[in-house]
Amino acid sequence: MLTEKLSEITEKRLIEYIKEHGLKAGERLPNESDLSKLLGVGRGTIREAVRMLAGRNVLDVRHGSGTFVAADKIGVGDDPLGFTFIDDKKQLTFDLMEIRMMIEPRIASMAALMADEEQIAEIKALAKAVEMQIHNDVNHINTDILFHSKIAESTGNLVIPNLMPIIQQAIVMFINVTDRDLKQETIETHRAIVDSIEARDPIGASDAMMLHLIYNRNRIKKIFADQ
Amino acid sequence: MLTEKLSEITEKRLIEYIKEHGLKAGERLPNESDLSKLLGVGRGTIREAVRMLAGRNVLDVRHGSGTFVAADKIGVGDDPLGFTFIDDKKQLTFDLMEIRMMIEPRIASMAALMADEEQIAEIKALAKAVEMQIHNDVNHINTDILFHSKIAESTGNLVIPNLMPIIQQAIVMFINVTDRDLKQETIETHRAIVDSIEARDPIGASDAMMLHLIYNRNRIKKIFADQ
């Protein structure tokens, strides 16, 4: 119990070390032996704390080359909201969709007000890429997530770009998307979202996003009803 | 690199083990040596994977007594959305508040439609407890979070009850709440939320929650402006 507490304290002190020393994504930490001296705890405790931080995607342990600050989305682990452990995947999929319906129309509005020219160009390019993939009968799901993520990023909100992809990726994981229907609806509603953001029209962007989400929610309902 | 991959594969296989064997919160896993045999990997790899899962709050390692499935909020770790690593805490606080404004009014509506009698009684009791604490000049923040969490739970949505406390707790952490102002507004808007939920009035609940959040957002703005 005492040792466990020590590893948790060490976890916090390692985070402080990273922040105090301004270590950036991908930068290397001192080795185990040096960390042990620096923090005044045994190497075993350092190893435990480092592993716990690897589980949280704060650190990345590469055998033979050392321990590094995670390169991407530091502190946001694999499945941070514990979806793996929710057994009712149908209900989970609907409930995630419900969260999208709460936040994405307003996200689209914010993007219409806040996106800079470069972001608008990227949003347009991603919408185009999705269209191309649909026309070529290539799975567009990941590009689709990038499209929505770029809109989320354009709001300037610091949390939403971490949150949205988790929610979207989870929905994709849990539904059967092999048929990838809704092709025409996706193209049209994506275009309406892009046009409204470009026209700096927050109400139009919100409406277009809402329509897009309703199509998607109804598709999910139908897929589950048919199973 | 190869060993690292092995520890990640082992992480996933341990999760499968927990799910396949239906291990519940607080139940004990086989010891390291048995897990090593079961999964066909070395004890060092088991130890690494177990630690990573401890970091994600999937497992709880208690020295001297064994490794257990986490007792609470399995798979949702300490700071799952990586707020520790967002440096601009003011911006973060506003942005979290913005997310609350997107989701909590609708949560209140859903609670007005979905809460059962027991949940309504609990929501009322928590509102009362907050009032008592305010009258007795005791810090009511944690009870306040329980009040909002119980409303979130009453929606029946599987994700919201995991998400809301993270967002609320983070806001509390980052603002200076020592003066705990807004006492009368908190009492009145909480009452309006409770009354609307009890009256099965989704529009009233949404409006009352929105008013409550606007008071809170304005308070945060003022606290930051005065700093």
Side-chain angles (χ1 to χ4, degrees):
Chain A
M1 217 41 191
L2 190 67
T3 321
E4 184 54 17
K5 274 190 185 157
L6 193 56
S7 72
E8 281 168 15
I9 293 164
T10 305
E11 214 186 332
K12 290 193 180 76
R13 292 190 59 201
L14 284 170
I15 289 173
E16 280 165 22
Y17 181 91
I18 293 166
K19 291 174 71 77
E20 277 165 16
H21 290 74
L23 287 184
K24 299 288 169 222
E27 286 187 354
R28 190 206 303 257
L29 264 72
N31 66 34
E32 205 171 274
S33 152
D34 288 341
L35 285 174
S36 165
K37 282 174 209 149
L38 272 164
L39 303 187
V41 295
R43 291 179 60 159
T45 306
I46 295 288
R47 205 175 303 133
E48 287 178 9
V50 163
R51 285 291 163 189
M52 287 166 81
L53 290 170
R56 288 170 59 186
N57 196 42
V58 173
L59 297 177
D60 180 18
V61 182
R62 296 179 216 154
H63 286 280
S65 53
T67 298
F68 300 80
V69 178
D72 190 37
K73 290 206 186 296
I74 180 168
V76 186
D78 211 22
D79 186 24
L81 298 176
F83 297 153
T84 309
F85 300 95
I86 295 179
D87 289 325
D88 188 342
K89 298 301 186 208
K90 271 194 192 185
Q91 181 71 39
L92 176 60
T93 305
F94 283 121
D95 289 354
L96 288 168
M97 200 64 214
E98 195 157 57
I99 295 175
R100 283 189 69 178
M101 296 189 77
M102 290 182 195
I103 66 179
E104 277 202 88
R106 186 147 157 168
I107 285 173
S109 288
M110 290 164 71
L113 297 171
M114 304 290 289
D116 61 29
E117 293 310 311
E118 196 181 324
Q119 286 167 328
I120 291 173
E122 288 178 273
I123 291 166
K124 286 176 81 166
L126 285 163
K128 268 257 180 305
V130 170
E131 286 191 25
M132 291 277 284
Q133 288 174 336
I134 289 175
H135 285 311
N136 296 327
D137 212 27
V138 173
N139 187 336
H140 66 277
I141 296 295
N142 286 328
T143 316
D144 201 306
I145 290 176
L146 288 177
F147 170 75
H148 286 273
S149 300
K150 180 54 73 178
I151 294 171
E153 190 191 306
S154 304
T155 60
N157 185 297
L158 296 172
V159 180
I160 288 169
N162 274 1
L163 193 57
M164 276 313 303
I166 298 166
I167 291 173
Q168 286 173 295
Q169 195 67 58
I171 294 173
V172 168
M173 267 174 58
F174 301 137
I175 60 170
N176 178 349
V177 287
T178 49
D179 55 349
R180 300 198 298 279
D181 46 354
L182 278 190
K183 292 175 182 181
Q184 200 49 43
E185 292 87 342
T186 297
I187 291 173
E188 282 169 17
T189 50
H190 275 190
R191 279 186 190 170
I193 294 166
V194 172
D195 290 347
S196 299
I197 290 174
E198 195 171 20
R200 305 299 189 183
D201 171 7
I203 296 174
S206 173
D207 289 350
M209 182 64 84
M210 183 57 89
L211 182 59
H212 180 63
L213 293 174
I214 291 169
Y215 278 129
N216 274 277
R217 186 188 54 185
N218 289 351
R219 176 180 63 162
I220 292 173
K221 272 192 189 166
K222 189 173 177 327
I223 290 169
F224 284 154
D226 291 347
Q227 276 174 357
Chain B
M1 219 41 190
L2 189 66
T3 320
E4 184 55 17
K5 273 187 183 157
L6 193 56
S7 72
E8 282 169 15
I9 293 164
T10 306
E11 213 186 333
K12 290 194 180 72
R13 292 190 59 202
L14 283 170
I15 289 173
E16 280 164 23
Y17 181 90
I18 293 166
K19 290 171 72 77
E20 277 165 16
H21 290 75
L23 287 184
K24 298 291 167 218
E27 286 187 357
R28 191 204 303 256
L29 263 73
N31 66 34
E32 206 172 273
S33 153
D34 288 341
L35 285 174
S36 166
K37 281 172 207 148
L38 272 164
L39 304 185
V41 294
R43 292 178 59 159
T45 305
I46 295 287
R47 203 174 306 134
E48 288 177 9
V50 163
R51 284 293 163 187
M52 287 165 81
L53 290 170
R56 289 170 58 188
N57 196 40
V58 173
L59 296 178
D60 180 18
V61 182
R62 296 179 218 155
H63 286 280
S65 53
T67 298
F68 300 80
V69 177
D72 188 37
K73 291 204 185 299
I74 181 168
V76 186
D78 209 22
D79 187 24
L81 298 175
F83 297 153
T84 309
F85 300 95
I86 295 179
D87 288 325
D88 188 342
K89 297 300 185 208
K90 270 192 193 185
Q91 181 71 40
L92 176 59
T93 305
F94 283 122
D95 290 354
L96 288 167
M97 200 63 215
E98 197 157 54
I99 295 175
R100 283 188 69 178
M101 295 188 79
M102 290 182 195
I103 66 179
E104 278 202 87
R106 186 148 157 168
I107 285 172
S109 288
M110 291 165 69
L113 296 172
M114 305 289 290
D116 62 28
E117 293 308 312
E118 196 180 325
Q119 286 167 328
I120 292 173
E122 288 177 274
I123 291 166
K124 286 175 81 165
L126 285 164
K128 268 259 180 303
V130 170
E131 286 191 25
M132 290 278 283
Q133 288 174 334
I134 289 175
H135 284 311
N136 296 327
D137 211 27
V138 172
N139 188 335
H140 65 278
I141 296 296
N142 286 328
T143 315
D144 201 306
I145 290 176
L146 288 177
F147 170 75
H148 286 273
S149 301
K150 179 54 72 179
I151 294 171
E153 190 192 305
S154 305
T155 61
N157 185 298
L158 296 173
V159 180
I160 288 170
N162 273 1
L163 194 57
M164 276 312 305
I166 297 166
I167 291 173
Q168 287 173 295
Q169 195 68 59
I171 294 174
V172 169
M173 267 174 57
F174 302 139
I175 58 169
N176 179 350
V177 287
T178 48
D179 55 350
R180 301 198 295 280
D181 46 356
L182 279 188
K183 292 176 181 180
Q184 200 50 42
E185 293 87 343
T186 297
I187 290 173
E188 282 170 16
T189 51
H190 276 192
R191 280 187 190 169
I193 294 166
V194 171
D195 289 347
S196 298
I197 291 174
E198 195 170 22
R200 304 299 189 184
D201 171 7
I203 297 174
S206 173
D207 290 349
M209 182 65 83
M210 183 57 87
L211 181 60
H212 180 63
L213 293 173
I214 291 170
Y215 277 130
N216 274 277
R217 186 187 56 185
N218 290 351
R219 176 181 63 164
I220 293 173
K221 272 192 189 166
K222 189 172 178 327
I223 290 170
F224 283 154
D226 290 347
Q227 275 173 0

